[in-house]
Amino acid sequence: MDDSRIVALFLARDEAAITHTDRKYGPYCRTISFNILEDRHDAEECTNDTYLQAWNTIPPQRPHSLQAYLGRIVRNLSLNKRRAKQAQKRGGEGYAAAYEELEQMVSSPSSVEESVDELVLRDLIERFLDEQTEQNRRIFIARYWYFESVRSIASKLGISQSLVKTTLLRMRNALREHLEREGVSV
Amino acid sequence: MNADQLLNAIGSIDDRYMLAYAKEAAAPAKTSVKPFVRWAAAVCAATVAVAAAFVILPTIKQHSNNAIVSDGVPTESTTPFAGVPVTPTTDTQEGLQNDVGTTTSSDAITDEPTQPSGDRILLNSVGDFLSSGARLVNPIEVSENDFYAEYPLNLTAYLDDTAYEVTYLLQYHLLDLNTGTTDFSHLSNGWISISRDNQVLFSVYVATDRYVSDLDYTQTTETNNSVIGGCDVLLFEGLLRGQTPCLYGKFRLNGLYVTVDTTRGTQEETVALIQSLVQNTH
């Protein structure tokens, strides 16, 4: 079913909206959530919560892209859940590994407590991504937006794992330089 | 700046960046499962699909042909899967299951006609099964978290001369993360919805919290439920019936238990379900 029709069902408070959302975007949401939580049951729960949040927020929201809207919700919910469980063991190839990579990137002792305006940071990241090749951009998004494992990214993009790792390392370094050049201490 | 701030900022970038990878993100990873497991999954999918053609469809057909009658109003002839004509049958479910036990999939492929013939539907390939309206999502590619099948089951039931469409959508995760094996008995989720005149009156989503293989139908598994729509459904006790896609459970609506069984629901159970759902939601 077309997204606009699904959104129309939400707006009409028709519960079939949830059915159609799950049919169309259930795998997408579960994948994002599983990449972060690395637990199928938690991922299922977050996916259900995503539908509920979509139900509670549409209306008044009228997302232009339902997929992007659901993706953001499930990512945020999953991150919150993951952070709540942060005290538990670390490990895995998805979120935990991606988080540690970013943590190392911003591990400058002088900037630990420094707060940065998220909007400013977002704009800087977008400009940084605009300067990248399409493949590099996709690798970066796959890793740090969707929290895909290196292995999974390599498989889906048809490239080697070592190329993915090398690209990510170079991009993190380049992003650090880009942010510092723009006055953000990392 | 810390890693959380950076992650949040990345999470808030414009839609166009994330959507550029959305298709790949939704696709299953291919390398996370060993080739043998993938091969086994494909074989399993094909086998079960063919078996389903002999077990599920006749079962549903029998179900839909069973007189779900209230006040003397018989059911209309229904088509369990869109596009598949249903012809009357006198076979019993047990008889059909026995047929499966004595008929190999290769027999079905080579010896049986594709079109309905005689008193039962014959589907001789996964392709036929899929084109019948049953959907196997990602039937070949296996990933850790996103390999599942869906079985839509549709029935028409009558209550006080009013036709109600009862739809069950069963979703199965086919890969057991604990063992790395495929298993069609892992009922993951289920949708039950009641419609009248194409308007959804009630819809409940059930998510099991356990994945138990080879569970005998005499056992019960208490599960969580997730309800969307504000209906007072508090409890779902699910049963998994071997390898046959089904949904069995007891829903509690305002203190009243309603039994649902997609494989052998009786007319009384189906009518009771509709009565309870309609009365409790409207």
Side-chain angles (χ1 to χ4, degrees):
Chain A
M1 180 181 278
D2 184 60
D3 278 6
S4 60
R5 291 178 62 193
I6 298 177
V7 171
L9 290 173
F10 273 109
L11 295 172
R13 312 314 290 155
D14 186 335
E15 289 156 8
I18 305 298
T19 310
H20 290 293
T21 299
D22 186 61
R23 284 180 192 170
K24 188 168 183 181
Y25 294 121
Y28 173 72
C29 291
R30 289 185 193 97
T31 300
I32 293 173
S33 188
F34 186 85
N35 287 342
I36 296 169
L37 294 167
E38 294 163 324
D39 182 290
R40 188 167 54 166
H41 302 303
D42 286 346
E44 196 68 50
E45 195 176 308
C46 266
T47 301
N48 296 338
D49 290 344
T50 298
Y51 300 150
L52 187 59
Q53 191 155 328
W55 177 261
N56 289 334
T57 54
I58 307 174
Q61 298 292 326
R62 290 169 180 260
H64 293 297
S65 166
L66 183 61
Q67 184 171 24
Y69 190 73
L70 294 169
R72 288 184 194 285
I73 293 175
V74 75
R75 184 181 189 271
N76 289 337
L77 289 176
S78 301
L79 282 174
N80 288 341
K81 196 175 187 73
R82 178 74 191 216
R83 285 164 184 153
K85 296 170 69 177
Q86 200 69 27
Q88 297 178 7
K89 66 167 185 175
R90 280 198 172 178
E93 300 175 337
Y95 168 82
Y99 186 88
E100 283 177 14
E101 288 165 10
L102 292 179
E103 206 168 33
Q104 288 168 12
M105 176 187 150
V106 297
S107 60
S108 169
S110 62
S111 61
V112 171
E113 300 300 328
E114 187 172 347
S115 176
V116 181
D117 186 333
E118 186 177 308
L119 290 178
V120 173
L121 199 53
R122 185 195 67 187
D123 289 343
L124 291 174
I125 292 169
E126 287 183 352
R127 277 163 49 193
F128 168 76
L129 290 174
D130 288 338
E131 294 169 359
Q132 305 299 312
T133 65
E134 183 178 345
Q135 174 161 292
N136 285 3
R137 213 161 33 231
R138 285 152 71 88
I139 291 173
F140 186 91
I141 294 298
R143 185 62 167 159
Y144 300 119
W145 205 101
Y146 289 100
F147 300 107
E148 295 243 31
S149 69
V150 168
R151 189 172 47 172
S152 176
I153 296 169
S155 166
K156 290 178 178 178
L157 296 183
I159 55 181
S160 69
Q161 293 186 43
S162 60
L163 178 57
V164 174
K165 287 179 186 173
T166 305
T167 302
L168 288 171
L169 177 62
R170 288 176 179 163
M171 290 188 77
R172 287 197 302 273
N173 291 336
L175 177 59
R176 177 204 287 264
E177 290 174 10
H178 173 77
L179 293 176
E180 287 179 338
R181 200 165 51 238
E182 298 294 334
V184 177
S185 298
V186 292
Chain B
M1 184 174 65
N2 58 43
D4 282 330
Q5 283 180 298
L6 193 53
L7 273 183
N8 288 341
I10 292 171
S12 66
I13 59 176
D14 192 84
D15 287 354
R16 69 178 187 277
Y17 297 105
M18 56 166 292
L19 290 177
Y21 190 76
K23 186 177 177 184
E24 288 90 346
K30 298 172 186 173
T31 58
S32 56
V33 177
K34 291 182 172 59
F36 172 76
V37 175
R38 224 173 15 245
W39 172 83
V43 172
C44 182
T47 303
V48 173
V50 172
F54 286 90
V55 178
I56 305 168
L57 294 180
T59 300
I60 297 164
K61 182 170 61 175
Q62 182 192 16
H63 192 162
S64 60
N65 285 340
N66 279 345
I68 301 173
V69 180
S70 179
D71 296 339
V73 181
T75 59
E76 291 178 343
S77 176
T78 58
T79 303
F81 294 132
V84 178
V86 176
T87 52
T89 178
T90 55
D91 283 351
T92 63
Q93 181 178 344
E94 291 74 15
L96 289 165
Q97 285 172 331
N98 288 338
D99 285 348
V100 172
T102 55
T103 304
T104 65
S105 57
S106 61
D107 288 335
I109 292 171
T110 56
D111 298 340
E112 303 287 5
T114 302
Q115 296 302 316
S117 172
D119 59 0
R120 64 183 183 183
I121 299 169
L122 297 173
L123 300 173
N124 61 12
S125 71
V126 174
D128 285 344
F129 181 69
L130 297 179
S131 64
S132 73
R135 287 168 295 151
L136 273 177
V137 179
N138 300 328
I140 303 302
E141 301 292 346
V142 183
S143 76
E144 296 161 335
N145 59 319
D146 198 9
F147 180 48
Y148 70 97
E150 294 181 335
Y151 296 88
L153 311 178
N154 300 304
L155 301 171
T156 301
Y158 284 82
L159 177 67
D160 297 333
D161 294 343
T162 304
Y164 291 90
E165 298 296 329
V166 185
T167 300
Y168 305 93
L169 179 67
L170 312 182
Q171 299 177 329
Y172 288 79
H173 280 275
L174 307 181
L175 185 65
D176 184 342
L177 290 180
N178 297 321
T179 64
T181 58
T182 54
D183 189 340
F184 275 75
S185 68
H186 290 192
L187 174 61
S188 171
N189 308 304
W191 278 100
I192 299 175
S193 64
I194 308 288
S195 303
R196 186 180 61 208
D197 298 330
N198 294 322
Q199 295 292 317
V200 176
L201 302 175
F202 173 87
S203 185
V204 61
Y205 177 74
V206 180
T208 62
D209 69 350
R210 290 187 192 176
Y211 298 83
V212 184
S213 60
D214 302 324
L215 185 66
D216 186 84
Y217 68 88
T218 57
Q219 295 180 273
T220 60
T221 301
E222 187 171 335
T223 67
N224 287 334
N225 67 61
S226 171
V227 180
I228 297 170
C231 196
D232 178 24
V233 180
L234 302 176
L235 179 67
F236 174 72
E237 294 173 352
L239 288 179
L240 308 174
R241 291 180 184 277
Q243 301 296 312
T244 304
C246 69
L247 181 64
Y248 177 87
K250 286 182 176 178
F251 294 87
R252 195 168 72 201
L253 287 110
N254 296 333
L256 175 67
Y257 281 93
V258 179
T259 302
V260 178
D261 185 342
T262 60
T263 57
R264 36 170 228 181
T266 64
Q267 69 176 58
E268 291 81 7
E269 287 172 342
T270 305
V271 170
L273 168 68
I274 296 170
Q275 275 180 325
S276 302
L277 299 182
V278 172
Q279 287 169 3
N280 282 284
T281 54
H282 294 273

